[in-house]
């Protein structure tokens, strides 16, 4: 039962890590696009930082949950 829980936790964190990575890259792209307004670029940059933190968190949790 404990092994199953670790496997589920691992898979969950792996998916969440990948989602954060995808969002981070999308926000970085928005932030670096000169066609977007300064406000949009700033908001995207802030979101990219949050996504990077989330990615790091889920990566750490995933490694702690290895089955």
């Amino acid at each position: 039962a404990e092994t199953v829980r670790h496997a589920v936790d691992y898979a969950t964190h792996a998916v969440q890590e990948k989602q954060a990575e995808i969002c981070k890259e999308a926000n970085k792209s928005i932030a670096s696009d000169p066609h977007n307004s300064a406000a949009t670029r700033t908001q995207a940059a802030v979101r990219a930082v949050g996504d990077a933190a989330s990615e790091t968190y889920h990566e750490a949790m995933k490694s702690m949950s290895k089955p």
Side-chain angles (χ1 to χ4, degrees), residues 1-16 58 61-67:
E2 191 70 16
T3 303
V4 171
R5 186 176 68 79
H6 284 294
V8 169
D9 286 348
Y10 181 87
T12 300
H13 287 295
V15 168
Q16 290 173 329
H58 289 296
M61 294 304 292
K62 182 180 75 174
S63 66
M64 290 174 36
S65 299
K66 282 189 178 176

Side-chain angles (χ1 to χ4, degrees), residues 20-53:
E21 177 188 3
I22 291 167
C23 289
K24 176 187 75 178
E25 293 303 322
N27 281 315
K28 283 172 51 178
S29 178
I30 292 167
S32 64
D33 185 346
H35 295 100
N36 291 323
S37 70
T40 297
R41 293 175 70 188
T42 301
Q43 288 172 344
V46 169
R47 284 193 304 265
V49 170
D51 293 333

